Amino acid sequence: MTSTERTHAVLEGRRPDRLPVVPLFMVWAAQHGGHSYADYVTDYRVLVEDQLRLWEEFGIDVLSCCSDAWREAADCGTLLVYDDEGPPRPREHLLANKRPVTDLPRPDPLGGGRMTDRVRAVELFRKRGEGRVPILGWIEGPISEAVNMRGMNQFMLDFVDDPSYARSVLQWTAELATDFALAQVGAGADLIGMGDAAASLISPSLYCDFVLDLERDIIATLEEAGALTRLHICGNTTGLLPYFASTCAALIDLDHMVDLAAARRAIGSQTTLLGNFDPVNVLLKASAEDVYAACARCHAAAGEPYMLAAGCEVPPGTPEVNVRAVVRYAEDATRGGNSA
């Protein structure tokens, strides 16, 4: 099977030739490719080259456009500081002074900015991958983008001090996310990753009241456009598990703090789970044999449908042999093997 066929087999409830391996490579991809991270996040050709190299050398099953959380905010006017070793960071937050979000013009994802650079990556992936491997576009979810625009502390206080303002910002960021996602789907993205990490920092009641419907609407719009969504919420999302199935996301990323067996019980048997061995203490610091064993434990806990990935981004400095151990487990698990 090609990576695309393998992925669709899992999503359609069929048996793949092996488990899809879909880790989130960002800084590691640039370092492996011999590029600075500043180049990786600002030049789509560098990102595409480095991701294709991972696919070809390691046998992973996704080409990811995810590089940093600041594409949308940058096109709104956020000034960024770029770093050769890690993701960019903002000089200031555009809504720090609590200006009405409607004062900001919603940028065009095809207007030539950083969002356009990601769309160009999708286009080049489509040309180079020739349909053999799924292309994962990426957007920031409503609350994560709201935090990027307003600042973490300020936005969290808005839930209590000015909930109507919080809702207006979330609605605006959800509309921006939808525009950006649809541009990537139009360019050829098969899947859209929606990173909404800040959702893990609020209570289940706030998530249900402020965020869930917006995520669900984005996912439904993408499905109508012919793409599926990979919902990625870093951190301990145990309290949010009962709501994840209702998002209708096809794939749910779970961080290492979450019990996969409990997640399967809460989310149900139809949704594909990803994860969730510890990216630092296991993938970065442990032996290849330990990584292999962690993959086996996660697979057993999650059941099917399932794809292999760490709980979050592959850390820079992760040994190549540990990455290969993940792929080796995927191959052995499908054949029925169980040893390193």
Side-chain angles (χ1 to χ4, degrees):
M1 285 182 170
T2 65
S3 292
T4 297
E5 292 167 342
R6 185 174 299 132
T7 298
H8 281 287
V10 172
L11 292 172
E12 294 166 9
R14 295 181 286 109
R15 183 177 176 83
D17 62 332
R18 70 161 170 83
L19 286 176
V21 179
V22 291
L24 191 58
F25 284 107
M26 296 169 61
V27 176
W28 200 95
Q31 292 180 344
H32 185 70
H35 295 106
S36 75
Y37 206 60
D39 287 342
Y40 187 88
V41 303
T42 57
D43 187 340
Y44 71 92
R45 293 162 295 188
V46 172
L47 183 150
V48 168
E49 176 185 337
D50 290 346
Q51 286 285 324
L52 285 168
R53 182 174 178 177
L54 297 180
W55 172 50
E56 293 164 354
E57 290 188 11
F58 294 93
I60 63 170
D61 295 298
V62 66
L63 298 172
S64 172
C65 294
C66 183
S67 62
D68 65 280
W70 297 97
R71 300 269 175 169
E72 299 95 317
D75 286 3
C76 292
T78 300
L79 297 178
L80 301 176
V81 177
Y82 291 92
D83 190 325
D84 284 345
E85 302 298 327
R89 58 189 186 278
R91 294 183 184 274
E92 61 182 358
H93 299 285
L94 287 179
L95 300 179
N97 62 358
K98 205 176 179 180
R99 62 193 285 196
V101 70
T102 51
D103 285 356
L104 296 176
R106 199 158 77 233
D108 180 0
L110 300 179
R114 294 200 69 227
M115 287 191 286
T116 304
D117 181 82
R118 183 170 286 169
V119 174
R120 296 289 174 260
V122 174
E123 293 172 342
L124 187 53
F125 275 143
R126 178 59 60 193
K127 180 179 179 180
R128 296 281 298 279
E130 299 178 338
R132 293 171 291 166
V133 58
I135 300 166
L136 178 69
W138 202 269
I139 58 173
E140 293 306 297
I143 186 170
S144 283
E145 186 59 29
V147 164
N148 288 349
M149 300 291 286
R150 178 89 168 104
M152 179 69 76
N153 291 340
Q154 293 89 333
F155 192 72
M156 292 300 170
L157 289 171
D158 289 336
F159 282 121
V160 177
D161 295 339
D162 195 345
S164 63
Y165 181 73
R167 289 190 190 280
S168 69
V169 175
L170 287 166
Q171 183 64 47
W172 193 91
T173 57
E175 292 169 0
L176 176 59
T178 302
D179 290 348
F180 189 21
L182 289 174
Q184 293 174 73
V185 173
D190 306 285
L191 302 164
I192 296 293
M194 179 161 60
D196 220 5
S200 68
L201 302 177
I202 61 175
S203 68
S205 61
L206 285 176
Y207 177 76
C208 186
D209 190 21
F210 283 84
V211 180
L212 177 60
D213 284 346
L214 296 173
E215 290 179 347
R216 189 158 42 202
D217 288 347
I218 293 168
I219 291 166
T221 299
L222 294 180
E223 187 172 4
E224 291 175 4
L228 299 176
T229 303
R230 173 177 171 171
L231 182 60
H232 178 89
I233 301 180
C234 307
N236 190 346
T237 55
T238 300
L240 306 183
L241 293 176
Y243 302 108
F244 282 167
S246 68
T247 67
C248 296
L251 303 93
I252 301 288
D253 275 16
L254 295 165
D255 212 338
H256 72 277
M257 306 87 159
V258 179
D259 182 278
L260 276 175
R264 177 59 75 194
R265 291 192 296 271
I267 297 172
S269 62
Q270 301 303 308
T271 302
T272 299
L273 301 184
L274 284 73
N276 70 337
F277 48 91
D278 189 326
V280 174
N281 290 316
V282 175
L283 192 58
L284 173 63
K285 296 182 177 180
S287 67
E289 290 73 19
D290 289 334
V291 172
Y292 187 102
C295 291
R297 288 193 298 271
C298 289
H299 187 196
E304 307 291 349
Y306 176 72
M307 297 185 190
L308 272 168
C312 199
E313 177 189 1
V314 175
T318 295
E320 289 186 22
V321 67
N322 286 5
V323 175
R324 296 189 188 280
V326 179
V327 179
R328 188 169 72 251
Y329 173 77
E331 295 169 345
D332 289 350
T334 308
R335 289 198 300 261
N338 58 8
S339 67

